[in-house]
Amino acid sequence: EALEAIKLAIRQDSKRMDLYHYLASFYVRNHMTSQALKEYEDILNKKPDDLKAATLLALIHHDAGHIENAVKVYNYILNRDPDHAIASNNLAWIIANETKRPDLDRALQLASKAKDQFPDNPRIADTLGYVYLKKGLYANAQAQFSSALEHTPNDPMINYHMALALAQQGRQKDAVGFLKK
């Protein structure tokens, strides 16, 4: 019924972009990924500067494992708003996880930019720490993971990352505690 109501509202006033966002959001909530992707792409085609739609499109691609598409959309967002924290953080994470010669300097720049905007966000601290870890800057990585764990002490991924940073510094006994956690 909700879907039909949204579609009816769009037919009655097709210029209201918020209705298209409601439709795309409905698709996301109901795990209708292909429909959500299409709807957000349509929104961007109608309104190219709608960074909310672009962000959601990128996140859906990212979550669905469509990494190349996510990268394209994150870059699209950053071309329009170089300080966009979500795009910066998530693109940094993707770059840091590339298997063939990741551009860790770019990942560091992006993650640092996101961290500057949201210094207390544990996800952003984890991303920055992970980039430091990949660059071999283990003490810097440890500091970021410590910051993230202050806010989310039981997050398994952040605890794992902390264990990696400690192990790389020769602190295996300390690392074990984070692995167990």
Side-chain angles (χ1 to χ4, degrees):
E1 290 176 16
L3 179 59
E4 289 310 313
I6 295 169
K7 288 182 177 182
L8 174 62
I10 290 171
R11 285 193 299 273
Q12 291 175 346
D13 190 355
S14 63
K15 295 190 186 325
R16 283 190 50 197
M17 294 307 293
D18 63 319
L19 296 174
Y20 295 98
H21 276 279
Y22 296 142
L23 179 59
S25 178
F26 174 89
Y27 290 142
V28 170
R29 283 192 312 274
N30 289 282
H31 310 287
M32 301 166 77
T33 303
S34 61
Q35 293 92 330
L37 288 170
K38 182 187 179 316
E39 200 58 43
Y40 283 122
E41 287 169 358
D42 288 348
I43 292 170
L44 276 179
N45 286 332
K46 292 174 190 168
K47 192 175 176 192
D49 289 330
D50 188 335
L51 296 186
K52 177 182 176 186
T55 301
L56 292 166
L57 178 62
L59 291 170
I60 295 167
H61 276 305
H62 198 160
D63 288 344
H66 310 151
I67 302 304
E68 286 182 30
N69 290 332
V71 167
K72 286 177 190 173
V73 181
Y74 288 137
N75 281 317
Y76 175 91
I77 294 165
L78 291 171
N79 284 334
R80 282 162 176 69
D81 179 4
D83 296 322
H84 196 281
I86 294 171
S88 294
N89 182 71
N90 293 0
L91 186 54
W93 181 262
I94 290 171
I95 292 169
N97 281 292
E98 289 178 353
T99 55
K100 295 181 182 177
R101 304 186 65 174
D103 185 351
L104 295 175
D105 290 334
R106 179 157 188 245
L108 180 59
Q109 179 237 353
L110 290 166
S112 296
K113 187 182 297 187
K115 178 73 173 180
D116 288 344
Q117 292 178 54
F118 296 98
D120 296 327
N121 184 297
R123 296 282 162 236
I124 292 174
D126 183 49
T127 299
L128 181 56
Y130 189 71
V131 173
Y132 281 136
L133 185 67
K134 297 285 283 205
K135 287 182 70 69
L137 301 169
Y138 306 121
N140 293 22
Q142 180 186 346
Q144 292 304 314
F145 299 141
S146 290
S147 172
L149 287 170
E150 286 177 17
H151 300 283
T152 56
N154 297 316
D155 184 291
M157 188 59 70
I158 299 171
N159 277 286
Y160 175 68
H161 291 158
M162 176 63 95
L164 291 175
L166 292 169
Q168 289 295 331
Q169 296 175 79
R171 297 175 54 194
Q172 281 73 12
K173 288 182 181 180
D174 293 332
V176 169
F178 287 95
L179 286 174
K180 287 180 179 179
K181 195 169 189 181

